[in-house]
Amino acid sequence: MFLTIADYLVYNILNLSPETSFGAALHFFVYDVLKILFLLCLIIFTISFLQTYLNPQKIKAYIEKQPKFLAHFLAALFGAVTPFCSCSSIPVFIGFIEAKIPFGIAMSFLITSPMINEIAMLVLAGILGIKITLIYIATGITIGMLGGYLLEKLGYAQYLQDYLRLNTIQFTPRTCAVPAAPQILFSARINTAAQKTKVLLRKIWLFILLGVGVGAFLHGYVPQEFFLHHMQADNIFAVPLAVLAGIPLYADATTIIPIAEVLISKGSAIGTVLVFMMAVVGLSLPEMIILSKVMKRPLITRYLIFMALCFIGVGYFYNIIL
């Protein structure tokens, strides 16, 4: 539906050609803005509605009973099986924090979610084979678990934006009873979810437009030949360059996989291309812009550095074993 609207608006009404840089960039912008805003509204509303049935203290108590390893693994696995891009993962992350899920576990979800989804992995398996797909999935989950654990261990929850940071305070018993879920009218749940959706969208809509705008510009005006030239297998600096090149871009895993196939067919090293994919979907500049409404600058900086170092290490490892 959104693709049809973007096609009609850009190619029929504005009469732009998909072969031009401006036409390609504008089409990317219109399509992604429509898609992301729709997904955000749907996800925020759904999460907010479901939260009215949940007792945050019970959820937090259950999570705290699990071994740390298992809790981080389940969060990363949930991120892997949900079809969210980086932008639509953020409202879910907010919902986790507001439900008083520990910061590190919520981060394990946030890190893994954009890198892996079931649709993208089916496409990847069809293009590059089961072995590489399984290695990619295992790596994504491992990075998510490690990242969530370390970011919490180092105390970076303090760098969440203030409206979220208060939700990371350690559990203490409430002095007042939590109302039982059946006492809340269904209409009240709907109204609560709708109101919360409006509030969150007001906080992040401008950053979504800015982030997608950056991605659209790069999509339309940065030639693919730039990446092919710098990502050849015999270039020792190809891996860090691939990570750096992926940061300014924006795409979900499904979108970037066909590009990865072209890069590999042109002689780029498999490991280099896979970490390029990870950087595009997990470290993109548009995502960082949107995350600035959730995280303060020190946390975003540390998040970027940690993920970039992980990706670089993984890239060299991939190039050795693949």
Side-chain angles (χ1 to χ4, degrees), residues 2-3 6 9 37 55 65 72 106 112 116 134 137 144 150 158 169-170 175 177 230 246 254 256 293 300 312:
F2 303 123
L3 185 60
L9 176 62
L37 287 179
N55 184 324
K65 289 179 182 178
H72 283 283
T112 308
I116 306 172
L134 291 177
I137 292 173
L150 288 178
Q158 64 178 307
I169 298 174
Q170 293 300 311
T175 56
H230 293 285
T254 308
I256 200 66
K293 292 302 291 182
I300 293 179
I312 290 171

Side-chain angles (χ1 to χ4, degrees), residues 64-316:
E64 290 180 337
K65 289 179 182 178
Q66 309 305 314
K68 278 287 186 180
F69 175 86
L70 180 60
H72 283 283
F73 173 75
L74 292 175
L77 185 64
F78 178 65
V81 300
T82 49
F84 299 145
C85 65
S86 56
C87 296
S88 51
S89 298
I90 294 171
V92 181
F93 170 77
I94 294 172
F96 283 175
I97 295 296
E98 292 184 338
K100 300 192 182 298
I101 301 296
F103 167 74
I105 294 171
M107 286 300 300
S108 289
F109 164 81
L110 182 66
I111 293 170
T112 308
S113 180
M115 288 196 292
I116 306 172
N117 69 63
E118 66 276 17
I119 298 172
M121 293 307 101
L122 287 173
V123 176
L124 185 63
I127 294 174
L128 299 180
I130 297 295
K131 175 185 175 182
I132 293 176
T133 303
L134 291 177
I135 292 174
Y136 183 90
I137 292 173
T139 303
I141 291 176
T142 301
I143 290 175
M145 293 173 62
L146 181 63
Y149 174 79
L150 288 178
L151 290 172
E152 181 174 42
K153 197 73 173 176
L154 295 171
Y156 292 159
Q158 64 178 307
Y159 297 118
L160 286 172
Q161 293 291 357
D162 293 339
Y163 73 96
L164 287 176
R165 182 173 52 81
L166 297 178
N167 287 289
T168 65
I169 298 174
Q170 293 300 311
F171 171 71
T172 53
R174 288 189 174 185
T175 56
C176 56
V178 179
Q183 295 178 352
I184 305 175
L185 295 176
F186 183 81
S187 59
R189 299 182 194 278
I190 294 292
N191 290 335
T192 298
Q195 188 61 34
K196 196 166 189 178
T197 301
K198 292 178 184 178
V199 170
L200 282 176
L201 281 178
R202 287 195 191 107
K203 291 178 181 292
I204 65 177
W205 72 269
L206 184 59
F207 289 83
I208 292 171
L209 295 184
L210 179 59
V212 176
V214 172
F217 174 80
L218 294 165
H219 176 80
Y221 289 93
V222 178
Q224 183 173 297
E225 289 74 17
F226 171 83
F227 304 108
L228 294 175
H229 177 71
H230 293 285
M231 293 172 65
Q232 297 297 316
D234 58 356
N235 182 1
I236 192 174
F237 299 108
V239 171
L241 285 174
V243 173
L244 290 174
I247 291 175
L249 305 180
Y250 173 78
D252 60 25
T254 308
T255 303
I256 200 66
I257 285 172
I259 299 174
E261 182 185 19
V262 172
L263 294 173
I264 291 174
S265 69
K266 295 293 185 179
S268 297
I270 294 177
T272 304
V273 174
L274 290 180
V275 296
F276 172 68
M277 285 175 51
M278 289 181 173
V280 169
V281 300
L283 285 182
S284 67
L285 179 60
E287 180 191 2
M288 295 303 110
I289 293 173
I290 297 171
L291 274 178
S292 67
K293 292 302 291 182
V294 179
M295 303 175 179
K296 295 179 180 177
R297 187 175 300 173
L299 178 53
I300 293 179
T301 302
R302 289 162 171 78
Y303 176 83
L304 270 170
I305 293 173
F306 170 79
M307 295 292 286
L309 291 176
C310 281
F311 290 166
I312 290 171
V314 164
Y316 284 121

